[in-house]
Every structure is written in C-alpha cells, then in structure tokens.
Amino acid sequence: VLKEQAFAVEYDSKMIALDDLAEKIGKGSLAGDEADDVEFILEYLAMEGTSHTVREGLRLANYFPDVRRRATELLGKIRTEQSKNALITVLLTDNEPMVKAQAAYSLGELGMNENNEVVAALVFAVDREDHTRADNNWGYAMALAFEKLHQKTGGLKYPGAFRALVKISQGNYLATVRQKALQVLDEMKK
C-alpha cells in the first residue's frame, strides 16, 4: 500500500505515504525486507522530479520539492550506507535550495564520513554555489552539517571544509549565517 501511495502521481498520496513512513521510522521497528522497502521508497521520493521524471505532455507532473525535502529528512534517520549515498546524490543533483539544505543537514546528522566522502560532497556543493545570490537556509544548513560532522567524527581535518566555511562566512548571507560559519570554523580549530 505504501509503495502505491508513494509512486502515485498525486501530491497528497505521496505526503500520506511519507507520514506513514515517518511513523514507522519513529517506532524504530524496521528490519529486514521492510527496512529495505522503506529505504527504497524514500530514495525514490527524494529524487522524484529530478532523477525520476514523469511528464504529462510537456508539463513535469511529479515535481514536488517539499516531497523531496521530507523524504530527504527521513532518509537521514535511516543510518545506512545506502541512505548516505542517496543523500549525497540529492545534495549534488537537486536544484531546489530547501531540498539541498535538508540533504546537507541530514548528512551531518548521520555523521558518516568514512574516507571523507561526505565532507568532500559538502565542499563540492559549496564550491559550485553562487554566494552572491545566497539562500540563507541553505548556507545555515551547510554550516550545521560541517559542525555535526566535526562533532560526530571527532574532528574534520579536510582542508576543503575550512575553505567552504570561509566562503559561507564571506558570502551574501544574513549575519546569523555568516556568524554560524565563523563559529564552526572556531570549533574546528580546537
């Protein structure tokens, strides 16, 4: 039933499926095939409209950024290598700032950074962003992602992370965002 709701074209069906998935994840009772199915559905929804498109005539029929954002949030609660990889893909392929911001935050929450693959993806995302037309939510989420990774991994020593935070601290963001980037830089120096 969840798959049918999630894969339906209608927005409301997708949101109902996400609510049901959030409840399942919140209970912490996912195991085996059910866990794999939940992860598959969330990964599909997180990339639907960008990697997976459906057109009705010339119109994109399944472009729902808030569905992708919510699925990305829930993927961050499933602590697997596959969910981490899906979040990296969303961060690097989605064009919607709120979805990219959630992907970055969820990656920080996961705290998985073996071989610096997550921090490298975050740095790449910062490097290709236009900081003169800054999205404050995205900038703050990026700073939080670096902070969470630093805390959960016992410290980030990846040089690009420092450069990325400097870019955010000097970008066209609100003072709160720039200050957060500076605060994280300070924490990383210790």
Side-chain angles (χ1 to χ4, degrees), residues 84 88 91 107 112-127 142 145-146 149-150 153 156-165 188:
K84 178 199 68 169
I88 289 171
L91 175 70
L107 284 165
M112 300 167 72
N113 189 40
E114 192 173 319
N115 300 320
N116 287 318
E117 73 276 339
V118 171
V119 74
L122 291 169
V123 168
F124 182 80
V126 170
D127 284 346
M142 293 301 284
F146 284 112
L149 277 175
H150 175 71
T153 61
L156 292 179
K157 303 298 181 210
Y158 192 79
F162 297 97
R163 186 181 71 248
L165 286 163
M188 288 172 60

Side-chain angles (χ1 to χ4, degrees), residues 3 30-42 80 82:
K3 280 184 183 178
L30 295 176
D33 288 344
E34 184 182 32
D36 292 342
D37 287 346
V38 167
E39 193 168 25
F40 173 77
I41 293 167
L42 288 174
T80 66
Q82 186 174 333

Side-chain angles (χ1 to χ4, degrees), residues 4-186:
E4 293 302 319
Q5 285 178 317
F7 298 161
V9 177
E10 299 84 24
Y11 169 85
D12 291 336
S13 292
K14 294 175 187 310
M15 292 305 281
I16 291 168
L18 285 167
D19 289 341
D20 291 344
L21 291 169
E23 187 177 325
K24 284 183 175 292
I25 292 167
K27 288 180 182 175
S29 60
L30 295 176
D33 288 344
E34 184 182 32
D36 292 342
D37 287 346
V38 167
E39 193 168 25
F40 173 77
I41 293 167
L42 288 174
E43 187 174 336
Y44 180 87
L45 289 174
M47 295 180 207
E48 186 180 39
T50 56
S51 297
H52 316 292
T53 58
V54 174
R55 296 200 178 273
E56 291 177 355
L58 297 176
R59 184 180 78 81
L60 192 56
N62 63 340
Y63 191 81
F64 304 118
D66 45 338
V67 168
R68 295 195 314 274
R69 188 209 56 79
R70 181 89 190 279
T72 301
E73 174 190 0
L74 294 174
L75 266 175
K77 297 179 185 321
I78 300 175
R79 297 183 160 342
T80 66
E81 190 72 19
Q82 186 174 333
S83 67
K84 178 199 68 169
N85 292 336
L87 288 167
I88 289 171
T89 299
V90 170
L91 175 70
L92 299 178
T93 61
D94 205 293
N95 292 324
E96 205 55 53
M98 75 172 171
V99 178
K100 293 188 299 185
Q102 184 62 57
Y105 183 80
S106 292
L107 284 165
E109 282 287 300
L110 280 178
M112 300 167 72
N113 189 40
E114 192 173 319
N115 300 320
N116 287 318
E117 73 276 339
V118 171
V119 74
L122 291 169
V123 168
F124 182 80
V126 170
D127 284 346
R128 73 178 192 181
E129 197 68 23
D130 180 0
H131 298 282
T132 59
R133 294 184 298 145
D135 182 274
N136 292 302
N137 183 47
W138 179 87
Y140 201 82
M142 293 301 284
L144 284 173
F146 284 112
E147 179 180 49
K148 298 257 183 218
L149 277 175
H150 175 71
Q151 292 167 349
K152 291 185 177 199
T153 61
L156 292 179
K157 303 298 181 210
Y158 192 79
F162 297 97
R163 186 181 71 248
L165 286 163
V166 168
K167 281 185 178 182
I168 294 170
S169 74
Q170 295 175 349
N172 193 23
Y173 297 96
L174 292 174
T176 307
V177 176
R178 293 191 316 270
Q179 288 170 350
K180 182 62 178 177
L182 290 172
Q183 174 200 344
V184 175
L185 275 169
D186 252 2

